[in-house]
PDB file of all heavy atoms in Angstrom:
ATOM      1  N   ILE A   1     101.591 102.200  87.771  1.00 98.00           N
ATOM      2  CA  ILE A   1     101.650 101.498  89.047  1.00 98.00           C
ATOM      3  C   ILE A   1     102.077 100.057  88.796  1.00 98.00           C
ATOM      4  O   ILE A   1     101.401  99.329  88.074  1.00 98.00           O
ATOM      5  CB  ILE A   1     100.276 101.536  89.780  1.00 98.00           C
ATOM      6  CG1 ILE A   1      99.885 103.000  90.097  1.00 98.00           C
ATOM      7  CG2 ILE A   1     100.329 100.689  91.055  1.00 98.00           C
ATOM      8  CD1 ILE A   1      98.457 103.149  90.599  1.00 98.00           C
ATOM      9  N   PRO A   2     103.191  99.639  89.403  1.00 97.00           N
ATOM     10  CA  PRO A   2     103.640  98.254  89.211  1.00 97.00           C
ATOM     11  C   PRO A   2     102.636  97.247  89.780  1.00 97.00           C
ATOM     12  O   PRO A   2     102.039  97.485  90.831  1.00 97.00           O
ATOM     13  CB  PRO A   2     104.968  98.201  89.975  1.00 97.00           C
ATOM     14  CG  PRO A   2     105.414  99.609  90.111  1.00 97.00           C
ATOM     15  CD  PRO A   2     104.146 100.419  90.192  1.00 97.00           C
ATOM     16  N   LYS A   3     102.474  96.141  89.100  1.00 96.00           N
ATOM     17  CA  LYS A   3     101.585  95.077  89.557  1.00 96.00           C
ATOM     18  C   LYS A   3     102.031  94.598  90.940  1.00 96.00           C
ATOM     19  O   LYS A   3     103.206  94.433  91.213  1.00 96.00           O
ATOM     20  CB  LYS A   3     101.622  93.902  88.591  1.00 96.00           C
ATOM     21  CG  LYS A   3     101.092  94.210  87.206  1.00 96.00           C
ATOM     22  CD  LYS A   3      99.636  93.806  87.099  1.00 96.00           C
ATOM     23  CE  LYS A   3      99.126  93.939  85.685  1.00 96.00           C
ATOM     24  NZ  LYS A   3      98.594  95.231  85.358  1.00 96.00           N
ATOM     25  N   GLY A   4     101.059  94.390  91.837  1.00 96.00           N
ATOM     26  CA  GLY A   4     101.337  93.885  93.157  1.00 96.00           C
ATOM     27  C   GLY A   4     101.830  94.910  94.160  1.00 96.00           C
ATOM     28  O   GLY A   4     102.127  94.574  95.308  1.00 96.00           O
ATOM     29  N   SER A   5     101.919  96.144  93.729  1.00 97.00           N
ATOM     30  CA  SER A   5     102.407  97.209  94.614  1.00 97.00           C
ATOM     31  C   SER A   5     101.265  97.717  95.492  1.00 97.00           C
ATOM     32  O   SER A   5     100.138  97.879  95.032  1.00 97.00           O
ATOM     33  CB  SER A   5     102.949  98.355  93.758  1.00 97.00           C
ATOM     34  OG  SER A   5     103.329  99.451  94.549  1.00 97.00           O
ATOM     35  N   ALA A   6     101.570  97.992  96.762  1.00 98.00           N
ATOM     36  CA  ALA A   6     100.611  98.699  97.619  1.00 98.00           C
ATOM     37  C   ALA A   6     100.537 100.126  97.108  1.00 98.00           C
ATOM     38  O   ALA A   6     101.561 100.714  96.728  1.00 98.00           O
ATOM     39  CB  ALA A   6     101.063  98.665  99.068  1.00 98.00           C
ATOM     40  N   VAL A   7      99.355 100.709  97.079  1.00 98.00           N
ATOM     41  CA  VAL A   7      99.164 102.066  96.565  1.00 98.00           C
ATOM     42  C   VAL A   7      98.779 102.979  97.731  1.00 98.00           C
ATOM     43  O   VAL A   7      97.870 102.689  98.485  1.00 98.00           O
ATOM     44  CB  VAL A   7      98.067 102.088  95.470  1.00 98.00           C
ATOM     45  CG1 VAL A   7      97.788 103.504  94.993  1.00 98.00           C
ATOM     46  CG2 VAL A   7      98.458 101.188  94.310  1.00 98.00           C
ATOM     47  N   VAL A   8      99.521 104.099  97.845  1.00 98.00           N
ATOM     48  CA  VAL A   8      99.250 105.083  98.897  1.00 98.00           C
ATOM     49  C   VAL A   8      99.129 106.467  98.241  1.00 98.00           C
ATOM     50  O   VAL A   8     100.129 107.129  97.993  1.00 98.00           O
ATOM     51  CB  VAL A   8     100.357 105.095  99.974  1.00 98.00           C
ATOM     52  CG1 VAL A   8     100.032 106.115 101.058  1.00 98.00           C
ATOM     53  CG2 VAL A   8     100.565 103.712 100.575  1.00 98.00           C
ATOM     54  N   PRO A   9      97.896 106.877  97.942  1.00 98.00           N
ATOM     55  CA  PRO A   9      97.691 108.201  97.366  1.00 98.00           C
ATOM     56  C   PRO A   9      97.874 109.289  98.428  1.00 98.00           C
ATOM     57  O   PRO A   9      97.482 109.089  99.591  1.00 98.00           O
ATOM     58  CB  PRO A   9      96.248 108.186  96.878  1.00 98.00           C
ATOM     59  CG  PRO A   9      95.769 106.779  97.037  1.00 98.00           C
ATOM     60  CD  PRO A   9      96.652 106.113  98.006  1.00 98.00           C
ATOM     61  N   LEU A  10      98.473 110.401  98.048  1.00 97.00           N
ATOM     62  CA  LEU A  10      98.544 111.564  98.928  1.00 97.00           C
ATOM     63  C   LEU A  10      97.374 112.459  98.601  1.00 97.00           C
ATOM     64  O   LEU A  10      97.218 112.902  97.449  1.00 97.00           O
ATOM     65  CB  LEU A  10      99.863 112.323  98.727  1.00 97.00           C
ATOM     66  CG  LEU A  10     101.054 111.803  99.531  1.00 97.00           C
ATOM     67  CD1 LEU A  10     101.515 110.469  98.991  1.00 97.00           C
ATOM     68  CD2 LEU A  10     102.177 112.810  99.500  1.00 97.00           C
ATOM     69  N   CYS A  11      96.524 112.707  99.581  1.00 95.00           N
ATOM     70  CA  CYS A  11      95.342 113.536  99.364  1.00 95.00           C
ATOM     71  C   CYS A  11      94.891 114.134 100.688  1.00 95.00           C
ATOM     72  O   CYS A  11      95.163 113.595 101.752  1.00 95.00           O
ATOM     73  CB  CYS A  11      94.225 112.740  98.698  1.00 95.00           C
ATOM     74  SG  CYS A  11      93.809 111.178  99.490  1.00 95.00           S
ATOM     75  N   ILE A  12      94.188 115.239 100.598  1.00 92.00           N
ATOM     76  CA  ILE A  12      93.769 115.987 101.772  1.00 92.00           C
ATOM     77  C   ILE A  12      92.902 115.150 102.705  1.00 92.00           C
ATOM     78  O   ILE A  12      92.948 115.308 103.926  1.00 92.00           O
ATOM     79  CB  ILE A  12      93.076 117.314 101.361  1.00 92.00           C
ATOM     80  CG1 ILE A  12      92.998 118.276 102.542  1.00 92.00           C
ATOM     81  CG2 ILE A  12      91.724 117.087 100.778  1.00 92.00           C
ATOM     82  CD1 ILE A  12      94.209 119.119 102.738  1.00 92.00           C
ATOM     83  N   GLU A  13      92.126 114.230 102.152  1.00 93.00           N
ATOM     84  CA  GLU A  13      91.257 113.408 102.986  1.00 93.00           C
ATOM     85  C   GLU A  13      91.973 112.175 103.547  1.00 93.00           C
ATOM     86  O   GLU A  13      91.367 111.376 104.262  1.00 93.00           O
ATOM     87  CB  GLU A  13      89.969 112.998 102.245  1.00 93.00           C
ATOM     88  CG  GLU A  13      90.188 112.164 101.023  1.00 93.00           C
ATOM     89  CD  GLU A  13      90.340 112.972  99.731  1.00 93.00           C
ATOM     90  OE1 GLU A  13      90.833 114.099  99.766  1.00 93.00           O
ATOM     91  OE2 GLU A  13      89.984 112.439  98.681  1.00 93.00           O
ATOM     92  N   GLY A  14      93.268 112.075 103.285  1.00 96.00           N
ATOM     93  CA  GLY A  14      94.050 110.966 103.810  1.00 96.00           C
ATOM     94  C   GLY A  14      94.296 111.120 105.302  1.00 96.00           C
ATOM     95  O   GLY A  14      93.918 112.114 105.914  1.00 96.00           O
ATOM     96  N   GLN A  15      94.954 110.123 105.855  1.00 97.00           N
ATOM     97  CA  GLN A  15      95.253 110.105 107.303  1.00 97.00           C
ATOM     98  C   GLN A  15      96.593 110.783 107.548  1.00 97.00           C
ATOM     99  O   GLN A  15      97.543 110.617 106.783  1.00 97.00           O
ATOM    100  CB  GLN A  15      95.292 108.675 107.790  1.00 97.00           C
ATOM    101  CG  GLN A  15      95.515 108.553 109.271  1.00 97.00           C
ATOM    102  CD  GLN A  15      95.411 107.121 109.768  1.00 97.00           C
ATOM    103  OE1 GLN A  15      94.820 106.273 109.120  1.00 97.00           O
ATOM    104  NE2 GLN A  15      95.980 106.857 110.913  1.00 97.00           N
ATOM    105  N   GLU A  16      96.662 111.553 108.630  1.00 97.00           N
ATOM    106  CA  GLU A  16      97.912 112.153 109.061  1.00 97.00           C
ATOM    107  C   GLU A  16      98.608 111.153 109.989  1.00 97.00           C
ATOM    108  O   GLU A  16      97.969 110.480 110.769  1.00 97.00           O
ATOM    109  CB  GLU A  16      97.654 113.446 109.816  1.00 97.00           C
ATOM    110  CG  GLU A  16      97.049 114.533 108.942  1.00 97.00           C
ATOM    111  CD  GLU A  16      96.749 115.799 109.721  1.00 97.00           C
ATOM    112  OE1 GLU A  16      97.585 116.201 110.562  1.00 97.00           O
ATOM    113  OE2 GLU A  16      95.664 116.379 109.507  1.00 97.00           O
ATOM    114  N   TYR A  17      99.932 111.064 109.868  1.00 97.00           N
ATOM    115  CA  TYR A  17     100.727 110.172 110.684  1.00 97.00           C
ATOM    116  C   TYR A  17     101.870 110.948 111.338  1.00 97.00           C
ATOM    117  O   TYR A  17     102.439 111.845 110.725  1.00 97.00           O
ATOM    118  CB  TYR A  17     101.373 109.070 109.825  1.00 97.00           C
ATOM    119  CG  TYR A  17     100.415 108.061 109.268  1.00 97.00           C
ATOM    120  CD1 TYR A  17      99.772 108.280 108.048  1.00 97.00           C
ATOM    121  CD2 TYR A  17     100.164 106.865 109.942  1.00 97.00           C
ATOM    122  CE1 TYR A  17      98.895 107.344 107.538  1.00 97.00           C
ATOM    123  CE2 TYR A  17      99.290 105.924 109.424  1.00 97.00           C
ATOM    124  CZ  TYR A  17      98.658 106.174 108.227  1.00 97.00           C
ATOM    125  OH  TYR A  17      97.782 105.250 107.712  1.00 97.00           O
ATOM    126  N   SER A  18     102.229 110.555 112.550  1.00 97.00           N
ATOM    127  CA  SER A  18     103.480 111.035 113.125  1.00 97.00           C
ATOM    128  C   SER A  18     104.595 110.285 112.378  1.00 97.00           C
ATOM    129  O   SER A  18     104.318 109.255 111.723  1.00 97.00           O
ATOM    130  CB  SER A  18     103.549 110.706 114.614  1.00 97.00           C
ATOM    131  OG  SER A  18     103.612 109.298 114.807  1.00 97.00           O
ATOM    132  N   SER A  19     105.816 110.754 112.485  1.00 97.00           N
ATOM    133  CA  SER A  19     106.908 110.047 111.804  1.00 97.00           C
ATOM    134  C   SER A  19     107.083 108.616 112.307  1.00 97.00           C
ATOM    135  O   SER A  19     107.224 107.703 111.480  1.00 97.00           O
ATOM    136  CB  SER A  19     108.210 110.853 111.926  1.00 97.00           C
ATOM    137  OG  SER A  19     108.089 112.074 111.236  1.00 97.00           O
ATOM    138  N   PRO A  20     107.025 108.362 113.607  1.00 97.00           N
ATOM    139  CA  PRO A  20     107.105 106.962 114.057  1.00 97.00           C
ATOM    140  C   PRO A  20     105.940 106.098 113.548  1.00 97.00           C
ATOM    141  O   PRO A  20     106.129 104.937 113.187  1.00 97.00           O
ATOM    142  CB  PRO A  20     107.095 107.064 115.588  1.00 97.00           C
ATOM    143  CG  PRO A  20     107.665 108.422 115.862  1.00 97.00           C
ATOM    144  CD  PRO A  20     107.123 109.289 114.752  1.00 97.00           C
ATOM    145  N   ASP A  21     104.747 106.661 113.487  1.00 98.00           N
ATOM    146  CA  ASP A  21     103.594 105.910 112.970  1.00 98.00           C
ATOM    147  C   ASP A  21     103.734 105.642 111.477  1.00 98.00           C
ATOM    148  O   ASP A  21     103.341 104.589 110.974  1.00 98.00           O
ATOM    149  CB  ASP A  21     102.290 106.631 113.264  1.00 98.00           C
ATOM    150  CG  ASP A  21     101.906 106.596 114.743  1.00 98.00           C
ATOM    151  OD1 ASP A  21     102.464 105.772 115.498  1.00 98.00           O
ATOM    152  OD2 ASP A  21     101.063 107.423 115.147  1.00 98.00           O
ATOM    153  N   PHE A  22     104.282 106.614 110.748  1.00 98.00           N
ATOM    154  CA  PHE A  22     104.516 106.428 109.313  1.00 98.00           C
ATOM    155  C   PHE A  22     105.555 105.329 109.090  1.00 98.00           C
ATOM    156  O   PHE A  22     105.409 104.487 108.200  1.00 98.00           O
ATOM    157  CB  PHE A  22     104.955 107.758 108.686  1.00 98.00           C
ATOM    158  CG  PHE A  22     105.102 107.711 107.188  1.00 98.00           C
ATOM    159  CD1 PHE A  22     104.070 107.314 106.361  1.00 98.00           C
ATOM    160  CD2 PHE A  22     106.307 108.071 106.591  1.00 98.00           C
ATOM    161  CE1 PHE A  22     104.194 107.283 104.982  1.00 98.00           C
ATOM    162  CE2 PHE A  22     106.456 108.052 105.220  1.00 98.00           C
ATOM    163  CZ  PHE A  22     105.416 107.645 104.406  1.00 98.00           C
ATOM    164  N   SER A  23     106.569 105.305 109.944  1.00 98.00           N
ATOM    165  CA  SER A  23     107.581 104.255 109.883  1.00 98.00           C
ATOM    166  C   SER A  23     106.931 102.888 110.090  1.00 98.00           C
ATOM    167  O   SER A  23     107.207 101.936 109.352  1.00 98.00           O
ATOM    168  CB  SER A  23     108.657 104.508 110.934  1.00 98.00           C
ATOM    169  OG  SER A  23     109.605 103.468 110.935  1.00 98.00           O
ATOM    170  N   ALA A  24     106.047 102.797 111.082  1.00 98.00           N
ATOM    171  CA  ALA A  24     105.338 101.547 111.357  1.00 98.00           C
ATOM    172  C   ALA A  24     104.462 101.132 110.177  1.00 98.00           C
ATOM    173  O   ALA A  24     104.358  99.947 109.843  1.00 98.00           O
ATOM    174  CB  ALA A  24     104.503 101.674 112.620  1.00 98.00           C
ATOM    175  N   LEU A  25     103.825 102.118 109.526  1.00 98.00           N
ATOM    176  CA  LEU A  25     103.006 101.830 108.346  1.00 98.00           C
ATOM    177  C   LEU A  25     103.852 101.223 107.246  1.00 98.00           C
ATOM    178  O   LEU A  25     103.462 100.214 106.631  1.00 98.00           O
ATOM    179  CB  LEU A  25     102.321 103.112 107.845  1.00 98.00           C
ATOM    180  CG  LEU A  25     101.583 102.977 106.514  1.00 98.00           C
ATOM    181  CD1 LEU A  25     100.350 102.072 106.665  1.00 98.00           C
ATOM    182  CD2 LEU A  25     101.175 104.345 105.977  1.00 98.00           C
ATOM    183  N   ILE A  26     105.005 101.802 106.959  1.00 98.00           N
ATOM    184  CA  ILE A  26     105.879 101.280 105.906  1.00 98.00           C
ATOM    185  C   ILE A  26     106.358  99.873 106.268  1.00 98.00           C
ATOM    186  O   ILE A  26     106.393  98.983 105.406  1.00 98.00           O
ATOM    187  CB  ILE A  26     107.053 102.235 105.614  1.00 98.00           C
ATOM    188  CG1 ILE A  26     106.491 103.497 104.945  1.00 98.00           C
ATOM    189  CG2 ILE A  26     108.101 101.571 104.722  1.00 98.00           C
ATOM    190  CD1 ILE A  26     107.532 104.584 104.674  1.00 98.00           C
ATOM    191  N   GLU A  27     106.681  99.663 107.545  1.00 97.00           N
ATOM    192  CA  GLU A  27     107.079  98.309 107.980  1.00 97.00           C
ATOM    193  C   GLU A  27     105.952  97.301 107.746  1.00 97.00           C
ATOM    194  O   GLU A  27     106.182  96.198 107.258  1.00 97.00           O
ATOM    195  CB  GLU A  27     107.455  98.303 109.462  1.00 97.00           C
ATOM    196  CG  GLU A  27     108.853  98.795 109.739  1.00 97.00           C
ATOM    197  CD  GLU A  27     109.239  98.608 111.190  1.00 97.00           C
ATOM    198  OE1 GLU A  27     108.968  97.520 111.768  1.00 97.00           O
ATOM    199  OE2 GLU A  27     109.832  99.548 111.742  1.00 97.00           O
ATOM    200  N   LYS A  28     104.727  97.702 108.103  1.00 97.00           N
ATOM    201  CA  LYS A  28     103.567  96.825 107.914  1.00 97.00           C
ATOM    202  C   LYS A  28     103.368  96.497 106.435  1.00 97.00           C
ATOM    203  O   LYS A  28     103.142  95.351 106.056  1.00 97.00           O
ATOM    204  CB  LYS A  28     102.315  97.508 108.484  1.00 97.00           C
ATOM    205  CG  LYS A  28     101.045  96.707 108.362  1.00 97.00           C
ATOM    206  CD  LYS A  28      99.857  97.433 108.989  1.00 97.00           C
ATOM    207  CE  LYS A  28      98.589  96.682 108.813  1.00 97.00           C
ATOM    208  NZ  LYS A  28      97.748  97.219 107.756  1.00 97.00           N
ATOM    209  N   ILE A  29     103.455  97.523 105.580  1.00 97.00           N
ATOM    210  CA  ILE A  29     103.299  97.303 104.152  1.00 97.00           C
ATOM    211  C   ILE A  29     104.381  96.347 103.643  1.00 97.00           C
ATOM    212  O   ILE A  29     104.111  95.441 102.845  1.00 97.00           O
ATOM    213  CB  ILE A  29     103.333  98.642 103.372  1.00 97.00           C
ATOM    214  CG1 ILE A  29     102.055  99.452 103.667  1.00 97.00           C
ATOM    215  CG2 ILE A  29     103.497  98.410 101.875  1.00 97.00           C
ATOM    216  CD1 ILE A  29     102.081 100.880 103.149  1.00 97.00           C
ATOM    217  N   SER A  30     105.623  96.520 104.141  1.00 96.00           N
ATOM    218  CA  SER A  30     106.739  95.672 103.674  1.00 96.00           C
ATOM    219  C   SER A  30     106.549  94.207 104.038  1.00 96.00           C
ATOM    220  O   SER A  30     107.136  93.325 103.401  1.00 96.00           O
ATOM    221  CB  SER A  30     108.078  96.192 104.211  1.00 96.00           C
ATOM    222  OG  SER A  30     108.217  95.887 105.580  1.00 96.00           O
ATOM    223  N   LEU A  31     105.755  93.924 105.065  1.00 96.00           N
ATOM    224  CA  LEU A  31     105.473  92.538 105.437  1.00 96.00           C
ATOM    225  C   LEU A  31     104.437  91.908 104.511  1.00 96.00           C
ATOM    226  O   LEU A  31     104.344  90.681 104.425  1.00 96.00           O
ATOM    227  CB  LEU A  31     104.978  92.464 106.902  1.00 96.00           C
ATOM    228  CG  LEU A  31     105.987  92.890 107.966  1.00 96.00           C
ATOM    229  CD1 LEU A  31     105.319  92.920 109.327  1.00 96.00           C
ATOM    230  CD2 LEU A  31     107.197  91.975 107.956  1.00 96.00           C
ATOM    231  N   GLU A  32     103.651  92.746 103.835  1.00 96.00           N
ATOM    232  CA  GLU A  32     102.577  92.268 102.974  1.00 96.00           C
ATOM    233  C   GLU A  32     102.998  92.179 101.513  1.00 96.00           C
ATOM    234  O   GLU A  32     102.592  91.272 100.791  1.00 96.00           O
ATOM    235  CB  GLU A  32     101.357  93.168 103.116  1.00 96.00           C
ATOM    236  CG  GLU A  32     100.765  93.184 104.522  1.00 96.00           C
ATOM    237  CD  GLU A  32      99.716  94.265 104.725  1.00 96.00           C
ATOM    238  OE1 GLU A  32      99.395  94.992 103.770  1.00 96.00           O
ATOM    239  OE2 GLU A  32      99.238  94.386 105.870  1.00 96.00           O
ATOM    240  N   VAL A  33     103.761  93.181 101.043  1.00 97.00           N
ATOM    241  CA  VAL A  33     104.173  93.250  99.629  1.00 97.00           C
ATOM    242  C   VAL A  33     105.626  93.738  99.557  1.00 97.00           C
ATOM    243  O   VAL A  33     106.163  94.272 100.534  1.00 97.00           O
ATOM    244  CB  VAL A  33     103.265  94.195  98.818  1.00 97.00           C
ATOM    245  CG1 VAL A  33     101.857  93.646  98.693  1.00 97.00           C
ATOM    246  CG2 VAL A  33     103.250  95.586  99.389  1.00 97.00           C
ATOM    247  N   SER A  34     106.234  93.586  98.408  1.00 97.00           N
ATOM    248  CA  SER A  34     107.639  94.007  98.249  1.00 97.00           C
ATOM    249  C   SER A  34     107.777  95.385  97.633  1.00 97.00           C
ATOM    250  O   SER A  34     108.894  95.878  97.444  1.00 97.00           O
ATOM    251  CB  SER A  34     108.406  92.987  97.414  1.00 97.00           C
ATOM    252  OG  SER A  34     107.827  92.899  96.128  1.00 97.00           O
TER     253      SER A  34
END
């Protein structure tokens, strides 16, 4: 895992997202880290 990277594990207990919500999540992450 690169230093400073946001970490998103894929696991059964994770949250389900619609595609537009997943897009918004990636946008949000991109505002916080590169």
